[in-house]
Amino acid sequence: MLGIARSTVQDNLKRAAMAGLSWPLASDLTDDVLEAKLFVHPGVKQGQRLRQEPEWGPLSIELKKPGVTLLILWEEYRSAYPDGYGYSRFCELFRGFEKRLSPTMRQEHVAGEAFKFQRIENTLCLHIGPRP
């Protein structure tokens, strides 16, 4: 016994028949190719979007400026691409882009210029020399 539901086996047999696969499988058939044949979605190409996407990097920089909102950026995007994404999908894609960004902040520290002492509650920063 494999512990697989009968309906799962039947579903996979239907998928194999629709893909034109038969047993034994070809020796050069990789797992990725097999998965692509069994779980294909007609009319949808993998890794391609149907609408033109903006450059998310410059948009995230623009959004940091005072008075700039996602709504304003979306309106500019739609004026350039009238068949582009709606506002909610635009925001969803932008938030997805933001999640992929690295949250680290690079700081250059010159030796002897500042001393930082950190406690659990707060951070005390002691500057030695003239303040920048």
Side-chain angles (χ1 to χ4, degrees), residues 5 11 17 40 50 85-87 91-92 102 104:
D11 181 49
V40 67
L50 299 177
Y85 292 109
Y87 180 67
C91 291
E92 183 181 326
S102 175
T104 58

Side-chain angles (χ1 to χ4, degrees), residues 20-73:
L21 298 171
S22 62
W23 192 258
L25 295 173
S27 60
D28 62 342
L29 191 66
T30 65
D31 288 344
D32 292 333
V33 172
L34 179 62
E35 183 177 353
K37 287 185 176 196
L38 291 176
F39 300 101
V40 67
H41 299 287
V44 177
K45 293 182 181 178
Q46 282 287 347
Q48 291 185 350
R49 304 262 168 128
L50 299 177
R51 293 181 165 80
Q52 180 69 33
E53 284 195 41
E55 292 293 325
W56 299 113
L59 282 183
S60 67
I61 294 169
E62 193 71 23
L63 190 60
K64 293 176 183 174
K65 294 180 180 176
V68 178
T69 64
L70 268 177
L71 181 62
I72 293 170
L73 295 175

